[in-house]
Amino acid sequence: MSRIFRTLDGWVFRWVQPVGTSLTAFFSIFLSFNLEKVASKHPEWSGAFALLQGFNLYSIIVVCALAALVGTAYNFVRQRSVKRLHKEVRDLRDQLGAVVQNIPETLGVVLRGVGDQLPLNQTGGQRISLYVHKPSQNVFIPCGRFSYSPNLKRKGRTSFSDSKGCIGRAWEEDWHFMDNMPDPTSLSGYTDYMAKNYQMSREATRRLNMKPRMFAAKRIMIDADAIGVLVVESLYCEQFVEEELRQILEETTQPLARLLHGFLPHIADPNDPRRVGL
């Protein structure tokens, strides 16, 4: 039924007004003629004039005028409806844009709830982060973060390789935990350790906003698909027991996976200018 209406709307309804107006004007011309007199002067057109005389021109003109009026009214209502729909689409697009811009803040609130379960130390030195995987680029994009420390909470790099670093290890192995990493105050020792164990370049390690001594990460799955990684870091060693931390993160990633999967199409990729600022 809707297909029939779309066909009528696309062809019939749109032509009613111009055709009705044209026919009204056309037949109105003949009202000023004495068709019998004209027919006697032009016997070669007698058939055409006989046909016109057989019609009730007034009735035809009234019908055509009514059709033109109906078509005009329909097109007027339709144009208003289209304008209203365009406005509603713009409003929805603006609302979606606001939602998209608030995704990191929303996920940050969720991660704070996760941090309360750990619990994170309110004096700072720890943080929890969420990374979504971009398979087309083989990278992770940070999409949520929480820490009681403003410095650790602020944004750092916009992407991370999925084959290097602690995140890459967790992505490959499902779970990764490392405690008692070298003291980063000895930068050369720390960069050497990361290069040897996690294939990170020394320059990339030096640029890290946080150089943790404890790292734990759990891969996030939705059904059989891996979509991201949940990461807990600390500037201090022996802050968590691995078995307890793993249990909390495994329980957390199940509902978090559904939430992240819903946000996935709308998470802006900072490396793709078409997707920034949706």
Side-chain angles (χ1 to χ4, degrees):
M1 192 68 181
S2 61
R3 184 177 180 180
I4 296 175
F5 179 80
R6 285 196 300 269
T7 302
L8 292 173
D9 177 69
W11 296 96
V12 178
F13 291 160
R14 295 188 189 185
W15 285 100
V16 166
Q17 187 267 339
V19 171
T21 301
S22 300
L23 290 177
T24 300
F26 174 77
F27 285 112
S28 296
I29 295 174
F30 294 97
L31 292 177
S32 61
F33 289 96
N34 185 330
L35 294 179
E36 292 182 358
K37 186 176 180 180
V38 174
S40 63
K41 290 183 178 182
H42 300 279
E44 68 275 13
W45 295 346
S46 59
F49 286 117
L51 182 64
L52 286 173
Q53 288 176 330
F55 290 132
N56 187 328
L57 290 180
Y58 289 101
S59 298
I60 293 175
I61 291 171
V62 169
V63 171
C64 290
L66 288 175
L69 180 63
V70 171
T72 301
Y74 175 80
N75 286 329
F76 177 75
V77 172
R78 186 180 183 280
Q79 288 174 2
R80 293 191 63 184
S81 299
V82 170
K83 289 180 180 179
R84 184 172 65 251
L85 287 174
H86 281 316
K87 183 179 182 302
E88 291 176 357
V89 169
R90 287 196 300 270
D91 292 343
L92 289 173
R93 187 176 296 162
D94 292 341
Q95 293 173 21
L96 177 60
V99 171
V100 169
Q101 294 297 334
N102 289 324
I103 285 177
E105 288 73 16
T106 301
L107 293 174
V109 172
V110 174
L111 294 180
R112 178 169 184 170
V114 178
D116 290 340
Q117 297 181 53
L118 296 177
L120 295 184
N121 192 330
Q122 295 193 18
T123 60
Q126 302 163 332
R127 77 179 180 192
I128 181 168
S129 306
L130 183 62
Y131 298 85
V132 64
H133 187 245
K134 294 291 184 178
S136 60
Q137 303 174 44
N138 297 321
V139 297
F140 292 105
I141 303 296
C143 58
R145 176 167 288 166
F146 176 74
S147 175
Y148 287 105
S149 167
N151 289 331
L152 298 182
K153 190 177 181 180
R154 64 185 174 89
K155 295 180 180 179
R157 293 170 56 184
T158 58
S159 64
F160 298 81
S161 170
D162 64 3
S163 61
K164 299 177 182 179
C166 303
I167 304 177
R169 183 74 62 83
W171 180 250
E172 180 67 26
E173 300 174 358
D174 180 61
W175 165 259
H176 183 65
F177 179 87
M178 180 56 65
D179 207 351
N180 200 28
M181 296 167 72
D183 188 343
T185 55
S186 174
L187 188 57
S188 61
Y190 193 86
T191 57
D192 289 345
Y193 176 86
M194 296 299 289
K196 179 180 179 180
N197 292 277
Y198 297 105
Q199 295 75 50
M200 287 187 64
S201 70
R202 288 168 175 77
E203 179 59 29
T205 300
R206 279 192 287 268
R207 292 200 309 267
L208 290 176
N209 178 43
M210 180 180 186
K211 300 177 179 62
R213 299 198 65 191
M214 190 287 303
F215 183 97
K218 176 70 177 70
R219 188 171 60 199
I220 301 174
M221 305 287 294
I222 184 75
D223 298 326
D225 298 321
I227 60 174
V229 174
L230 182 62
V231 175
V232 177
E233 302 165 278
S234 176
L235 295 175
Y236 312 105
C237 301
E238 300 178 356
Q239 295 284 298
F240 300 99
V241 177
E242 179 178 0
E243 291 75 16
E244 296 176 356
L245 182 58
R246 181 171 186 173
Q247 181 178 353
I248 292 174
L249 294 189
E250 285 181 345
E251 293 174 353
T252 299
T253 54
Q254 295 175 11
L256 187 59
R258 292 190 290 272
L259 178 63
L260 184 60
H261 187 257
F263 282 153
L264 203 56
H266 308 295
I267 294 177
D269 182 352
N271 298 316
D272 184 353
R274 297 170 299 177
R275 298 285 295 169
V276 177
L278 286 176

